[in-house]
Amino acid sequence: MSNNSSQQATLDLSIALMARPSVTPDDTGCQDILSERLSQAGFDCEFMYFGDKKKSGEHAEVKNLWARRGISEPVICFAGHTDVVPTGDEKNWTYPPFTPTIDDGYLWGRGAADMKTGIAAFTVAAERFVRNYPEHKGSIAFLITSDEEGPSINGTVKVIEALEARNEKITYCLVGEPSSTDTLGDIIKNGRRGSLGAVLTVTGKQGHVAYPHLASNPIHAVLPALAELTAATWDAGNEYFPATSLQISNINGGTGATNVIPETLEAVFNFRFSTETTAEELKSKTHAIFDKYFKDSKASYTINWKLSGKPFLTPEGKLVSACQQAIKSVTDIDTTLSTSGGTSDGRFIAPTGAQVVELGVRNATIHQVDEKVEVDDLGRLAQIYEGILENLLLD
């Protein structure tokens, strides 16, 4: 496959997708474009809807696409999302965010990096591959959601549940998130840390600051516990993951008056944790710290936990090797494996036993005003994806 032909095809599809204002959780027709093309390439396309069409927000109905070509194993799945984050004030953009614009070697617009160009490259790669190898072994699949940038409760996680219920397994999964840092293909994510969030509520007794013996200050009660919490060492990490970290992101307490001891304090914190520990262990250690300080306190505490995803790791093996070889063939660079960054929908797919990696364009402008991606990288990314298919399905 020539870079020129893949370049124009990927660019054209990227522009068509980016012109759709698919702010999460709205798909705004993006998946219809993909379904039409994939159907022509021999894929069986199935739309899956989860959520309530009568509601908005996190319970709104979400459109998902599951497309598959082939009935045998291995199943190589391209996973991605058509929803994008809000634009912010459009006046701050050099070009209108949903009017894809080519300038200075870049394609500008919301979704340029995260991740409509990745989806376009997936599609072009699959089209080219099945055209060249119509009798290929195994299966190629697409799992596309419009609920990745939002609460992520009616998207990939629900599709995976449906697939598991009918015993439809994914062998290898390539998530098209923008993984590259300095140049295309320099980084692939072969794992992600887990994310455990917590909302801490401390309850005391409101009173006058001049009469503290008649009140119970939740701020004073919690400070020693928070100090120990932030100083704690949770694990040392391992060769793939850094040590588990904790960050407090919000603390709210007080009435606004200077002479009132408040009744409650709320603190929000988050663990990003490695495979060296578990969510249950983190919860247990955290409660042990707070129990120690609140055992004889007039104040009390509660913690509302939310596990967004467990850590996952795809060690060096067939999928990682196929990616490394394809990147080397197209870019002539040796890629680096990484587990850094936030979470992705890979966290829902990996627990099924699938090998999962993330590989996409540069992530320098994701979620920013003036999001953009190098035009020259689009065709090369499609070539890399096609090379991965060849490495996995033609050996």
Side-chain angles (χ1 to χ4, degrees):
M1 178 181 64
S2 71
N3 184 48
N4 287 338
S5 59
S6 61
Q7 172 76 12
Q8 193 60 52
T10 307
L11 177 60
D12 290 344
L13 181 53
S14 296
I15 290 173
L17 295 173
M18 289 169 58
R20 304 272 179 162
S22 55
V23 176
T24 190
D26 294 327
D27 171 70
T28 325
C30 292
Q31 292 177 32
D32 293 330
I33 295 174
L34 299 174
S35 175
E36 182 178 351
R37 292 184 63 145
L38 292 172
S39 295
Q40 293 176 0
F43 285 76
D44 292 321
C45 296
E46 174 184 1
F47 289 114
M48 297 185 181
Y49 297 88
F50 301 103
D52 191 334
K53 66 173 61 177
K54 297 180 181 179
K55 294 184 178 180
S56 59
E58 68 176 31
H59 298 293
E61 184 178 73
V62 169
K63 185 176 184 178
N64 305 279
L65 172 63
W66 172 251
R68 178 169 174 171
R69 187 182 196 276
I71 58 174
S72 61
E73 296 181 344
V75 179
I76 302 172
C77 177
F78 291 112
H81 60 91
T82 53
D83 60 322
V84 297
V85 296
T87 64
D89 190 346
E90 295 191 13
K91 294 179 181 178
N92 294 327
W93 287 69
T94 301
Y95 304 103
F98 295 113
T99 303
T101 304
I102 299 173
D103 185 41
D104 195 30
Y106 290 91
L107 174 62
W108 303 64
R110 179 57 86 220
D114 191 11
M115 55 161 287
K116 290 183 176 179
T117 54
I119 292 175
F122 281 165
T123 305
V124 170
E127 290 172 335
R128 303 276 178 164
F129 179 82
V130 301
R131 189 178 305 155
N132 291 331
Y133 307 101
E135 303 300 323
H136 64 82
K137 71 174 186 178
S139 303
I140 305 171
F142 281 67
L143 197 171
I144 308 296
T145 184
S146 60
D147 181 36
E148 197 274 347
E149 298 291 7
S152 299
I153 60 175
N154 287 314
T156 299
V157 62
K158 290 289 181 66
V159 176
I160 289 297
E161 289 175 0
L163 295 177
E164 287 287 289
R166 63 196 196 196
N167 200 32
E168 194 166 359
K169 293 285 189 177
I170 295 170
T171 313
Y172 306 110
C173 183
L174 189 62
V175 185
E177 291 287 355
S179 64
S180 303
T181 301
D182 296 319
T183 186
L184 180 68
D186 61 347
I187 301 288
I188 60 175
K189 307 285 187 180
N190 66 319
R192 290 283 194 171
R193 294 175 294 174
S195 177
L196 177 64
V199 178
L200 165 72
T201 302
V202 181
T203 303
K205 182 180 179 181
Q206 184 173 312
H208 196 295
V209 296
Y211 302 96
H213 60 289
L214 300 177
S216 174
N217 194 322
I219 300 175
H220 291 191
V222 78
L223 287 179
L226 291 180
E228 182 169 338
L229 189 75
T230 56
T233 298
W234 306 94
D235 60 51
N238 54 38
E239 63 178 312
Y240 295 104
F241 290 93
T244 293
S245 66
L246 173 140
Q247 288 295 312
I248 298 173
S249 58
N250 289 273
I251 295 181
N252 295 289
T255 64
T258 60
N259 60 351
V260 177
I261 294 171
E263 181 180 16
T264 61
L265 173 143
E266 182 179 275
V268 180
F269 57 92
N270 178 270
F271 289 98
R272 293 302 166 105
F273 62 102
S274 75
T275 51
E276 292 297 303
T277 190
T278 67
E280 292 307 314
E281 289 172 341
L282 293 173
K283 291 179 184 180
S284 178
K285 292 178 183 178
T286 300
H287 279 289
I289 291 173
F290 281 97
D291 288 346
K292 178 171 63 174
Y293 289 99
F294 281 86
K295 181 179 179 181
D296 298 316
S297 175
K298 295 180 181 179
S300 61
Y301 83 92
T302 60
I303 301 177
N304 183 22
W305 297 98
K306 181 179 180 181
L307 178 63
S308 298
K310 297 179 180 179
F312 69 89
L313 177 70
T314 297
E316 295 186 51
K318 194 163 186 178
L319 178 58
V320 170
S321 177
C323 293
Q324 291 172 323
Q325 293 172 18
I327 292 169
K328 181 71 172 180
S329 175
V330 174
T331 68
D332 198 32
I333 64 171
D334 295 315
T335 194
T336 299
L337 303 179
S338 172
T339 60
S340 65
T343 60
S344 77
D345 276 0
R347 69 189 189 273
F348 303 126
I349 302 168
T352 68
Q355 295 184 35
V356 180
V357 300
E358 299 170 28
L359 168 59
V361 296
R362 292 180 64 225
N363 56 26
T365 60
I366 58 174
H367 292 203
Q368 296 181 18
V369 168
D370 283 345
E371 182 180 349
K372 60 185 178 180
V373 66
E374 290 86 343
V375 172
D376 287 346
D377 283 348
L378 303 185
R380 297 198 299 158
L381 182 60
Q383 286 184 295
I384 290 171
Y385 290 154
E386 185 174 354
I388 294 170
L389 287 173
E390 292 173 348
N391 293 337
L392 292 174
L393 294 182
L394 298 184
D395 60 1

